[in-house]
Amino acid sequence: TEAFRKEGHFAIVKRHIREGDLCLFQFGHNDQTLPHLLADREYPKNLRRFVREIRETGAHPVLVTPLGRNIWSGKGEYLDLLKEHAGAVCQVAEEEQIPWIDLHGYSVDFIRERGMEPCHSFFHPEDYTHTNEYGACVFGAYMAKRLAEWFPETVTARKEALNFVPPDGLGEKLGLGGR
């Protein structure tokens, strides 16, 4: 929430956003590493500021909880390091009475169901946070489905895209090996 503004990315959004546009915000991964941006500190304040500024443009803010990381303990237990940030997103969205998408809940369930090793094929090599194109399709389909529910008059999507399930063996075909 902090770097996005300081590095000028939000200025670009504000320059191009128009009345009636949807503006999705998904933060938490970088915030989680900085003590002043913890879920009970500046993080929710920064989210509220983004919401307020997007509303001022006439666009529609949508908050998205952070994507779960593929991180496990040495004992094989999933480590949910972004749970508090996801909760803060939900709280801000409810207080501001705006739509929100629980990408965190969906992705954490997805990762837990499959396990650490199989989920490597959804992330860049040696990366537990950033999805590759394959993972982007999986989580993007979930996002499209939720957006179509929140904004049925605005969001149109092909039915098959909303129900994307990677075919067996696709990871190997994409050069991701058996992962």
Side-chain angles (χ1 to χ4, degrees):
T1 57
E2 189 174 76
F4 189 72
R5 188 179 295 277
K6 282 185 177 179
E7 293 173 5
H9 305 294
F10 188 55
I12 295 168
V13 170
K14 286 180 69 173
R15 190 167 50 245
H16 295 285
I17 197 145
R18 301 289 178 259
E19 184 175 343
D21 287 351
L22 299 179
C23 186
L24 283 68
F25 290 103
Q26 186 264 305
F27 297 111
H29 296 94
N30 296 335
D31 301 88
Q32 182 240 347
T33 64
L34 300 170
H36 69 286
L37 294 174
L38 293 178
D40 62 346
R41 297 195 182 151
E42 295 300 311
Y43 179 73
K45 292 176 187 175
N46 289 347
L47 291 176
R48 284 185 190 91
R49 183 175 171 198
F50 284 121
V51 167
R52 184 183 72 249
E53 291 180 34
I54 289 301
R55 280 181 165 156
E56 289 170 358
T57 70
H60 306 286
V62 178
L63 294 180
V64 180
T65 60
L67 179 78
R69 291 182 165 129
N70 189 22
I71 298 181
W72 300 74
S73 74
K75 297 177 182 177
E77 298 169 348
Y78 180 77
L79 300 175
D80 190 350
L81 304 178
L82 289 158
K83 184 177 182 177
E84 289 80 16
H85 282 77
V89 170
C90 300
Q91 183 177 351
V92 169
E94 289 175 8
E95 289 171 1
E96 296 292 330
Q97 298 181 335
I98 62 169
W100 61 280
I101 298 173
D102 190 11
L103 179 60
H104 182 76
Y106 176 79
S107 61
V108 166
D109 289 347
F110 182 94
I111 293 167
R112 281 183 173 149
E113 287 173 12
R114 285 156 185 80
M116 181 180 68
E117 288 301 322
C119 282
H120 285 313
S121 63
F122 298 97
F123 293 86
H124 286 288
E126 309 301 320
D127 191 333
Y128 50 83
T129 300
H130 303 96
T131 65
N132 55 26
E133 291 79 1
Y134 181 50
C137 286
V138 171
F139 298 116
Y142 171 78
M143 292 290 298
K145 187 180 286 188
R146 298 288 84 83
L147 284 169
E149 290 170 0
W150 276 107
F151 302 96
E153 69 287 347
T154 305
V155 177
T156 58
R158 294 181 14 223
K159 187 177 181 179
E160 61 271 18
L162 294 178
N163 297 312
F164 176 76
V165 176
D168 288 338
L170 181 59
E172 291 175 10
K173 289 178 186 176
L174 294 174
L176 300 170
R179 299 183 302 152

